Amino acid sequence: MDNLSHIIFGFGIAFQWDNLVFCMAGVLIGTLIGVLPGIGPVGAMGLLLPATMHITPTGSLIMLAGIYYGAQYGGTITSVLVRIPGEATSIVSCIDGYEMARQGRAGPALAIAAWGSFIAGTLSIVALMLISGPLAKAALDFGPPEYLAAICIGMVMVTQLSQNSPLKAMMMAALGVILGCVGTDLVTALPRFTMGFPELTDGLGIVPVVMGLFGIAEVIENLENQVSAGKVQNRISRLWPSLQDWTEAKWAIVRGSILGFLIGILPGGGGVLATFVAYALEKKISRHPEKFGHGAIEGLAAPESANNAAATGGLVPLLSLGLPTGPIMAMLFAALVIQGIQPGPTLITNNPDVFWGLVASMYIGNVLLMILNLPLIGIWVQLLKTPIWLLYPVIFLFCLIGAYSVNNSVFDIYVMLVFGVIGYLMRKFGYEAGPLVLAFVLGPILEQNLRQSLLISRGSFSIFFSHPISATGFAICALVLLSNALPWLRRRRQVYNQFAE
Amino acid sequence: MDIVKIAMAALAGIGIAAAAPALAQEYPAKPINIYVGYSPGDNMDVMTRVLGQKLEKILGQPITILNKPGGAGSVALSLLAKDKPDGYTLAAVIETPLDRIPLLRKLDYKPDDFAPVLQFASGVTGVVVSSKAPWKTFQELLDYAKKNPASFTYATSGAGSTMHVAMQYIGVERGLDWTHVPYPGARDTLTAVLGGHINAAVGSTQWANDVRQGNLKLLAIVGNERMASFPDVPTTKELGFNFSASSASVIVARAGTPQPIIDKLDKAFRTAMDDPEFVKTVKNLELDVLYRDNQKLKTYLADTMTQFKAVIEELKLPTEFNTSK
């Protein structure tokens, strides 16, 4: 019952009027930047950071965290309506969410995404509260070989993502790994494949690449069918999910939440990886995998739940060990440090107001987001009625602003435009961007952990099998690959049996 | 024709001579941009934003902070190198892209493209190990590494970083066969040490809190001066190594900016540095407030570059100049 008294204490802090205002401001800003493609939570948090010195540490953390998980709600909206991810964590939602919108089910899609986010958010806050200590310590057991195994599982999942041709998916994944090699070599610290551009010494930016492949490519593709302008707006049948939608989505939401939370805890994992893995898992275990890519509600519910759960999961190592797992967590880390609070194992005991205040505010924030989002669905859906001649130039403009605003870099705009053309050609020839992006994100981490492992072992590959966690991970990889081969084997056996008879 | 040209040049000369002090008096007549060479939330970003707020009051013009992360600060510098030398665009970086990276990589700027304005903070590098590790002193660690060749590992936040070069230097001096494992960030190196995957981490003061709480042991400061907050920890200089891995936080302008404007900026920043909010920020980031005026900073950067060049040559480090044919 200790946790109960703590959370009551936390609500006491979160319900103070100033903290309530910060929470509201945070989720509102978060939703807005989530809707605007490319304008990510990191930029918004950076602008607000010096201002947070003038408010309490609890208030500043409540507001900044609100921006972060608020953006996870907002990012879905444009994914579903116009197939442009508002955030990198909404990329997967484009696949089935957009298909649902095309079938006139934009309302149910947005509603299930909002409910999924809410349920995942709430479940993962409970998990954050209960198991943050022990779970974060387990994450410490992950060294380079263990991470390599985890990433290999992710890479194997790439093959499950493909809608049609696994071969094309593998090719795109290979291209993603190659693109991920651009930048500075980890071991020699010398630039490679930068073609003399200083802007490329840190590699190609994930945001310009993703926005080019998905956003710009979409705009270009739509220039073709101006005759059929307004292909989406014709049927908006209903706004709320039916009972059948719920039955189909409920377990996807639960699975997405658990998976998202666990991946969120891992450094380098984060929301993007969580959404891809959640989608792949749903497709794998679904009884009707052929529906995926054609408006399967699980294909939307699972990743949308996963990204919210991952947002909360990322707070676990930050608050219990002082380890920021990504750029957003680094911002929250900085917000605490400039106030003189060092995130670390003693944060919860030394600053209970910060920890429990934040946890309680996240319950409130999630309720606020529901109140904010559900009534707005009706309005968002109206967006589909915007004439194409107006909608696409606006999207194009937002992509330009978005690509520029990440690093204030004009170079990133060129990168986005180049990848826009590449993305358009890929669509024309039936290559999917999903595996490319996942491999592009995972490639550098894969290389880093592989090379670190081999540096530690001085070149011996035995390190991957002498570590129990990594050995288990590679075994899982093998099983997944084998399970792909099984239907093929079974078919072979049938053929053999027939032959034997 | 010639006479006209000469007369015009003379007139222009008089004009410039007369305008220079006037320029400095008017300066700043419009908003000032500061390129920060790192991402939002980075130590340098936080410090520059706090300084910028104070500077607005002192100079009476808006200060715009523009994050230009990449290449350990070199992207911001290459942008500044293309700007006008009028004092309206500045860059805030750690010294490394000014005095170390130009020796390792081909860049589209030269260190001479910049005029130092001032140094406002300085960071310390330290060697930390897990509190469970058997070594109580840096000497014990070195002895262990000597007796166990090819098994001791240390992590830094990047190959070619000052910390990495410092450890290579120590390794060569003592004839050690130890392994460097690069990580993308300082925090990652500490996680690796806390999790027992790597023996030691060498890096900036992000370890301070873990050392106070007893999760990590600080064995040595890589530099010439002990730290005020950990006075018992010896420096590598005391242990006989002549290599400093300090990191100065500096402001630079484009070379050719009139000296009166540099002086005016130097003075304005100096005043902003005294603000208690800035002092508190720097202290909370586990850095030290340290002032060097534009002349002393110029000498300091040149000295560090000379020292680093000697070490690179001694250690035969791979650089873009000796690997490319």
Side-chain angles (χ1 to χ4, degrees):
Chain A
M1 280 297 98
D2 211 23
N3 278 316
L4 189 67
S5 62
H6 279 136
I7 195 67
I8 291 169
F9 164 72
F11 274 113
I13 291 161
F15 270 119
Q16 286 164 6
W17 71 268
D18 50 342
N19 288 338
L20 215 51
V21 170
F22 289 134
C23 182
M24 236 185 260
V27 296
L28 196 65
I29 297 170
T31 308
L32 283 177
I33 59 167
V35 173
L36 300 175
I39 301 172
V42 182
M45 289 159 88
L47 281 175
L48 284 168
L49 193 65
T52 62
M53 279 192 84
H54 302 285
I55 61 179
T56 63
T58 315
S60 86
L61 203 62
I62 285 175
M63 182 170 72
L64 294 174
I67 293 177
Y68 176 37
Y69 59 78
Q72 310 301 323
Y73 272 78
T76 320
I77 296 162
T78 47
S79 289
V80 169
L81 296 184
V82 286
R83 207 182 177 191
I84 291 168
E87 296 302 322
T89 50
S90 310
I91 294 169
V92 183
S93 309
C94 290
I95 306 173
D96 279 291
Y98 178 68
E99 281 303 318
M100 285 181 73
R102 286 188 62 169
Q103 295 159 12
R105 293 199 293 154
L110 288 177
I112 216 78
W115 277 104
S117 298
F118 175 73
I119 296 166
T122 313
L123 283 178
S124 52
I125 300 164
V126 175
L128 168 71
M129 197 170 79
L130 294 178
I131 51 175
S132 61
L135 220 50
K137 286 199 181 69
L140 266 188
D141 290 334
F142 271 63
E146 288 80 9
Y147 273 115
L148 186 73
I151 295 155
C152 282
I153 295 177
M155 291 294 244
V156 168
M157 292 289 186
V158 170
T159 53
Q160 319 293 315
L161 270 177
S162 119
Q163 286 168 30
N164 30 47
S165 159
L167 183 67
K168 283 182 172 176
M170 296 290 263
M171 282 165 69
M172 285 299 104
L175 183 62
V177 172
I178 293 168
L179 290 171
C181 289
V182 174
T184 303
D185 184 272
L186 183 76
V187 174
T188 63
L190 296 176
R192 57 182 191 195
F193 313 123
T194 60
M195 296 171 287
F197 293 111
E199 291 88 349
L200 284 179
T201 45
D202 288 334
L204 289 159
I206 170 89
V207 173
V209 169
V210 166
M211 293 187 57
L213 288 176
F214 289 89
I216 301 295
E218 176 73 18
V219 173
I220 302 177
E221 198 179 31
N222 273 278
L223 291 178
E224 284 180 357
N225 26 357
Q226 43 174 305
V227 189
S228 62
K231 60 179 174 183
V232 196
Q233 82 233 33
N234 39 13
R235 293 161 289 136
I236 300 168
S237 51
R238 52 191 299 165
L239 279 182
W240 303 106
S242 64
L243 194 65
Q244 198 208 336
D245 288 338
W246 271 110
T247 338
E248 283 173 357
K250 64 176 188 244
W251 291 113
I253 291 174
V254 174
R255 281 189 293 265
S257 306
I258 297 170
L259 203 61
F261 186 78
L262 293 177
I263 294 176
I265 292 174
L266 296 179
V272 182
L273 182 57
T275 52
F276 277 100
V277 175
Y279 184 85
L281 178 77
E282 286 309 314
K283 194 178 170 187
K284 186 86 207 155
I285 63 174
S286 171
R287 258 170 289 162
H288 43 80
E290 70 285 350
K291 269 200 193 172
F292 280 74
H294 304 285
I297 198 160
E298 304 98 303
L300 175 69
E304 276 308 312
S305 313
N307 68 24
N308 266 59
T312 313
L315 288 169
V316 174
L318 179 79
L319 294 174
S320 55
L321 284 170
L323 298 175
T325 51
I328 291 164
M329 292 300 140
M331 293 298 287
L332 293 176
F333 187 87
L336 282 175
V337 168
I338 59 172
Q339 299 260 12
I341 292 175
Q342 272 290 337
T346 55
L347 175 86
I348 301 176
T349 39
N350 289 351
N351 306 88
D353 50 330
V354 172
F355 180 78
W356 294 105
L358 174 67
V359 169
S361 85
M362 287 172 67
Y363 283 111
I364 301 170
N366 271 286
V367 175
L368 286 176
L369 281 167
M370 279 304 277
I371 300 171
L372 200 68
N373 275 279
L374 285 182
L376 282 179
I377 289 176
I379 299 168
W380 291 126
V381 171
Q382 300 301 313
L383 238 166
L384 291 175
K385 293 191 175 151
T386 315
I388 298 281
W389 59 264
L390 183 66
L391 186 64
Y392 282 95
V394 169
I395 292 167
F396 188 71
L397 183 70
F398 274 124
C399 287
L400 289 179
I401 299 171
Y404 176 77
S405 67
V406 182
N407 287 332
N408 301 316
S409 158
V410 180
F411 186 83
D412 281 351
I413 293 182
Y414 297 137
V415 171
M416 180 182 72
L417 295 176
V418 169
F419 276 91
V421 175
I422 295 174
Y424 170 73
L425 293 175
M426 281 165 61
R427 281 172 192 220
K428 285 278 119 182
F429 294 101
Y431 291 88
E432 290 160 53
L436 190 156
V437 171
L438 183 63
F440 174 67
V441 173
L442 290 182
I445 319 175
L446 179 94
E447 185 200 346
Q448 177 201 325
N449 285 287
L450 175 67
R451 294 181 77 176
Q452 284 173 337
S453 303
L454 292 176
L455 279 170
I456 293 172
S457 72
R458 295 239 166 173
S460 162
F461 279 84
S462 64
I463 186 169
F464 301 115
F465 306 103
S466 57
H467 290 227
I469 299 177
S470 109
T472 317
F474 282 112
I476 293 172
C477 278
L479 282 177
V480 174
L481 285 175
L482 215 63
S483 77
N484 278 339
L486 265 184
W488 178 76
L489 279 177
R490 205 175 297 142
R491 231 174 293 136
R492 290 284 292 229
R493 187 173 301 157
Q494 274 168 3
V495 173
Y496 174 78
N497 286 345
Q498 278 166 6
F499 182 73
E501 275 168 26
Chain B
M1 270 281 272
D2 281 354
I3 294 167
V4 175
K5 260 190 187 166
I6 291 164
M8 276 180 70
L11 274 174
I14 294 165
I16 288 165
L23 254 176
Q25 266 167 22
E26 283 164 21
Y27 179 89
K30 58 177 189 180
I32 299 172
N33 291 331
I34 304 181
Y35 294 147
V36 172
Y38 315 91
S39 314
D42 183 274
N43 285 355
M44 180 64 84
D45 174 65
V46 175
M47 286 192 291
T48 317
R49 282 175 194 275
V50 175
L51 271 183
Q53 276 186 340
K54 309 299 156 204
L55 215 60
E56 287 189 347
K57 288 186 196 113
I58 298 165
L59 292 174
Q61 284 289 346
I63 309 286
T64 315
I65 306 289
L66 292 167
N67 295 90
K68 300 284 181 184
S74 54
V75 167
L77 287 182
S78 72
L79 283 168
L80 177 63
K82 290 171 199 134
D83 260 307
K84 270 185 255 151
D86 56 4
Y88 288 103
T89 313
L90 309 170
V93 289
I94 302 284
E95 62 179 292
T96 316
L98 285 165
D99 57 16
R100 297 189 181 113
I101 298 179
L103 297 168
L104 298 170
R105 287 188 220 152
K106 286 175 187 159
L107 299 163
D108 56 357
Y109 65 80
K110 298 185 297 295
D112 299 344
D113 289 339
F114 309 103
V117 176
L118 84 158
Q119 172 180 352
F120 57 89
S122 117
V124 172
T125 297
V127 181
V128 291
V129 296
S130 163
S131 51
K132 292 172 207 130
W135 321 292
K136 285 184 210 70
T137 64
F138 192 54
Q139 189 56 52
E140 283 179 34
L141 182 151
L142 293 176
D143 292 342
Y144 175 89
K146 182 93 187 169
K147 273 183 222 127
N148 300 278
S151 79
F152 189 90
T153 52
Y154 68 91
T156 74
S157 60
S161 64
T162 325
M163 309 86 174
H164 176 208
V165 174
M167 291 297 273
Q168 275 184 303
Y169 180 76
I170 291 170
V172 167
E173 292 276 302
R174 291 291 166 95
L176 304 178
D177 177 16
W178 56 9
T179 308
H180 173 240
V181 184
Y183 277 79
R187 225 26 251 190
D188 305 315
T189 67
L190 301 183
T191 318
V193 170
L194 284 170
H197 308 289
I198 299 286
N199 294 121
V202 189
S204 61
T205 43
Q206 300 215 5
W207 33 256
N209 199 46
D210 280 310
V211 172
R212 281 197 200 100
Q213 287 169 350
N215 303 322
L216 293 172
K217 282 190 287 194
L218 175 62
L219 296 185
I221 303 291
V222 186
N224 303 337
E225 277 149 47
R226 289 195 179 203
M227 251 183 109
S229 35
F230 298 98
D232 302 335
V233 180
T235 66
T236 44
K237 188 173 190 179
E238 293 168 43
L239 300 165
F241 304 105
N242 188 24
F243 184 91
S244 170
S246 64
S247 67
S249 306
V250 305
I251 301 277
V252 292
R254 177 87 170 78
T257 308
Q259 190 59 34
I261 289 180
I262 301 267
D263 289 335
K264 189 163 187 176
L265 279 169
D266 187 344
K267 215 175 136 217
F269 271 104
R270 178 75 192 95
T271 317
M273 281 170 62
D274 284 333
D275 190 279
E277 207 165 282
F278 175 72
V279 176
K280 188 181 138 204
T281 304
V282 175
K283 186 175 168 282
N284 286 339
L285 294 170
E286 304 282 354
L287 299 169
D288 295 315
V289 177
L290 194 145
Y291 172 69
R292 272 195 181 98
D293 66 23
N294 59 72
Q295 290 307 319
K296 284 199 188 110
L297 179 58
K298 200 171 197 166
T299 322
Y300 170 81
L301 291 175
D303 289 350
T304 313
M305 196 158 177
T306 314
Q307 188 202 25
F308 194 67
K309 193 163 194 241
V311 172
I312 288 176
E313 277 159 13
E314 190 186 332
L315 300 180
K316 297 188 179 67
L317 291 185
T319 74
E320 234 186 324
F321 305 103
N322 61 27
T323 48
S324 55
K325 283 137 229 167

